[in-house]
Amino acid sequence: MKSPSFCCPKNICKTLILCYRAGDWSWGAIIWTSVGWSVSVGLGLLCCIYMATLHENDLWFSNIKEVEREISFRTECGLYYSYFKQMLQAPSIQEGLSDLIHDNLTESRRTINLLQRMNIYQEVFLSVLYRLLPIQSYLEPVYFYIYTVFSLQAVYVIALYLTAWLLSGSWLAGTLTGIWYILNRVDTTRVEFTISLRENWSLPFLALQVTAITCYLRPQLTTLQQKVMVWLMYVTTFCFCLTWQFNQFILLVQALIIYTLDGVDFLTTTQVTTLYLVQVSGLLSVWLLQFCNSMILGSLVLSFIVAALFIRHFQSGLKTGSLLVRLGKLLLHSATVLLLTFTINYLAKKALQLRSDEHIFKFIKSKFALGPTRDFDASLYLCEEAFGVLPLDTLERLAGTLLLYPYILTLLLLSGSAEEKKGAVEGRLVAFRPDVAYNLLHTLFYGLLAFSTMRMKYIWTGHMCVVAAYGVCGTELWTLLLNTLHCNSKVLFWPKLMEELSELREFYDPDTVELMTWISTKTPKQAVFAGSMQLLAGIKLCTGRVLTNHPHYEDKDLRERTRQVYQVYARRSPEEVHAILRAAGADYVVLENSICYERRHRRGCRLRDLLDLANGHIMDGPGENDPDLVPSPHPRFCETIKTDTAAYTSLFTRTFQNKTFHVYRIRNEAKVPVNILEN
């Protein structure tokens, strides 16, 4: 009996996990498969060590003070890490959980359930694990946290590796996938500088879910193997949903992929129903763990799945008739599903009184010019580069590592073969097995998402490595491509990796360190701070003080409070700003020169511009203004307060300042209008 071939496009090799028949095993196959598994683990560890080294080199993390380490968790990263720190500082696990469920530090004058509002079960799990393991004496909590996140990158690479192996039948495709992932690190992950972001926890589980789906859709699986795959799909879907608040939108795209495959008859009824129910089960399990979070029940993906299964049950003759007849039926079917989806979703949100995710739909409407463009919440997203379209230099970088060319060629070859007629022997082309078809649509759908919103590229680029490796393995395309481009991969890429690893930097932010030290030593522990979302997340992590607002934006009341607190950067009178801050319960307000005198964004996207537009005022500087805008009767608060005129000093007392920050204590004398936060 022959050992499995390296790559064989016409006779897909069965060399991975559950996809072997018992009679196919031989010593050669066992050795070859063992080598493949070893390489996958090796590449995963290599990626993990690479990311950890870049993080250390960039910040000199091992040599900086604890407050500097905490400040390095920028924006919402600091907020999430603060809950890990809070759980470790609690007298017991039970008291720590109780403090999270009845939290009154994250939002002043409010008690919220953090386990319901935010996806922070990973921080809870890690804190419990750190308490239980005998590692406290030689591993600091912050290292336990960041090493766990970097280890998930190893899991991510292994999952991509296995998917490529399943598709191609050769672990050499998995090796190529892992190498491409590492070479394209700038575009495949940002974990080394945004450690706590929810996507860094969730995307490895999404990749594992895709691996399980790929294996589930392969032919000739036994009933037991199918059940194992279904459970793996459920567990990975559950972990993915539990760790990222945007899970519903990612799963919606996946549900559309399943719907498309069903429409073109690539999946059986059982497979379609199973995949849908796995998604529903994962979401509902998270719904229970998050104390019946209404945002999940009101999600568009649940409405879509219910509509798709309901309409499918009553339209049994959808896949009969001539091509034109089937196309007409499919269009009518799709229109009915969409109509029912939006109807169910509208009724669900009305019944649940759900408005937590409306800012996301406002953003989508504004992005595609379907709604007002002066909405404050939508503009906050639209003006950030991460939520813009994918820059062209991304494609240039992907082409520079020779990933883009085979990827495009693979898409063209697969799309072209889709036009061919079904084969007489196997019923359809080998290239278009259901697992291949799923991965093709996966990369196309998430590719479109990445092009529309740059932040979503990290879902696409990792899988892009899989598709490209599948396309080139087993052919001479890779060698031909290298020869055509006249380049040597070792010469081209190795120096770049070594340069990144040898580049040493150090974290340096003395102004923020000075601010955090002052807050920790000179203000009461129960003092309430107002300011920008990004800075306040760091204040909570480094000092434990109470906040008026924070970066976790999935709550309507919090979004409104944030807009009100940001009036410190608008043209408002000192009396108005004082009333707003007192209504929010603030004792101190931190003003940042980088926001007050911002130059990073273009006119119309600076925070002060967004506030002026929302308030109906003309923006600063030369340029056009909408005709309905009027001049403000007041100067800009963040600038004028520094003049120390009587109107300001009677309400605000400067207590700290350096080159970057100005902190003012808010006097209590003025009366606060009850409805100030409603205006």
Side-chain angles (χ1 to χ4, degrees), residues 35-106:
V35 172
W37 275 102
S38 301
V39 172
S40 73
V41 174
L43 280 172
L45 291 175
L46 175 63
C47 181
C48 172
I49 295 170
Y50 180 45
M51 298 302 168
T53 304
L54 290 176
H55 177 259
E56 170 65 22
N57 290 355
D58 189 49
L59 300 174
W60 203 6
F61 200 75
S62 60
N63 199 61
I64 59 179
K65 295 182 292 186
E66 184 66 19
V67 65
E68 292 177 312
R69 290 178 179 176
E70 293 180 347
I71 292 171
S72 71
F73 287 89
R74 300 290 189 181
T75 65
E76 61 190 282
C77 297
L79 183 68
Y80 296 133
Y81 181 74
S82 73
Y83 299 123
F84 172 73
K85 178 181 175 181
Q86 180 178 324
M87 280 291 295
L88 291 180
Q89 291 176 342
S92 66
I93 294 174
Q94 292 78 6
E95 289 186 48
L97 287 172
S98 177
D99 289 341
L100 293 180
I101 295 172
H102 307 95
D103 177 86
N104 54 13
L105 299 177
T106 303

Side-chain angles (χ1 to χ4, degrees), residues 446-557:
Y446 286 108
L448 291 174
L449 183 63
F451 272 92
S452 68
T453 307
M454 187 184 74
R455 183 176 179 179
M456 296 301 170
K457 73 174 180 179
Y458 301 103
I459 304 174
W460 173 57
T461 47
H463 192 262
M464 185 181 181
C465 300
V466 172
V467 173
Y470 163 65
V472 302
C473 185
T475 70
E476 297 180 354
L477 179 61
W478 182 239
T479 304
L480 177 63
L481 190 61
L482 286 174
N483 293 335
T484 303
L485 297 175
H486 303 289
C487 61
N488 182 293
S489 59
K490 180 178 179 181
V491 174
L492 184 63
F493 304 131
W494 186 253
K496 179 183 176 183
L497 294 178
M498 290 299 100
E499 180 183 353
E500 288 184 340
L501 289 173
S502 62
E503 187 176 357
L504 302 179
R505 302 177 185 173
E506 180 181 0
F507 177 86
Y508 185 73
D509 191 352
D511 290 349
T512 306
V513 171
E514 185 184 11
L515 172 67
M516 299 301 176
T517 303
W518 178 84
I519 293 174
S520 297
T521 57
K522 302 296 184 181
T523 65
K525 290 187 177 180
Q526 294 302 315
V528 180
F529 278 78
S532 70
M533 295 184 289
Q534 296 79 3
L535 179 64
L536 290 184
I539 288 176
K540 185 180 189 309
L541 170 59
C542 298
T543 71
R545 299 305 188 262
V546 186
L547 312 180
T548 57
N549 51 301
H550 54 81
H552 196 275
Y553 220 48
E554 278 62 52
D555 180 76
K556 184 181 186 302
D557 293 334

Side-chain angles (χ1 to χ4, degrees), residues 80-137:
Y80 296 133
Y81 181 74
S82 73
Y83 299 123
F84 172 73
K85 178 181 175 181
Q86 180 178 324
M87 280 291 295
L88 291 180
Q89 291 176 342
S92 66
I93 294 174
Q94 292 78 6
E95 289 186 48
L97 287 172
S98 177
D99 289 341
L100 293 180
I101 295 172
H102 307 95
D103 177 86
N104 54 13
L105 299 177
T106 303
E107 297 178 17
S108 58
R109 296 189 174 181
R110 293 174 183 168
T111 298
I112 60 175
N113 184 343
L114 291 170
L115 295 180
Q116 180 188 55
R117 175 83 73 82
M118 303 184 189
N119 298 71
I120 57 169
Y121 270 101
Q122 49 267 53
E123 278 75 22
V124 173
F125 173 75
L126 274 193
S127 65
V128 173
L129 196 61
Y130 185 80
R131 282 175 176 267
L132 298 178
L133 294 176
I135 58 176
Q136 291 91 343
S137 58

Side-chain angles (χ1 to χ4, degrees), residues 569-571 596 608 612 620 634-641:
Y569 296 107
R571 296 179 180 275
C596 190
R608 62 179 186 267
D612 288 342
D620 287 342
H634 306 289
R636 194 164 303 282
F637 178 84
C638 64
E639 295 177 0
T640 314
I641 190 175

Side-chain angles (χ1 to χ4, degrees), residues 24 90-91 108 215 219 261 269 305 406 479-480 512 551 587 645 666:
D24 290 333
S108 58
C215 198
L261 291 173
T269 300
I305 292 173
T479 304
L480 177 63
T512 306
D587 299 309
T645 57
I666 303 162

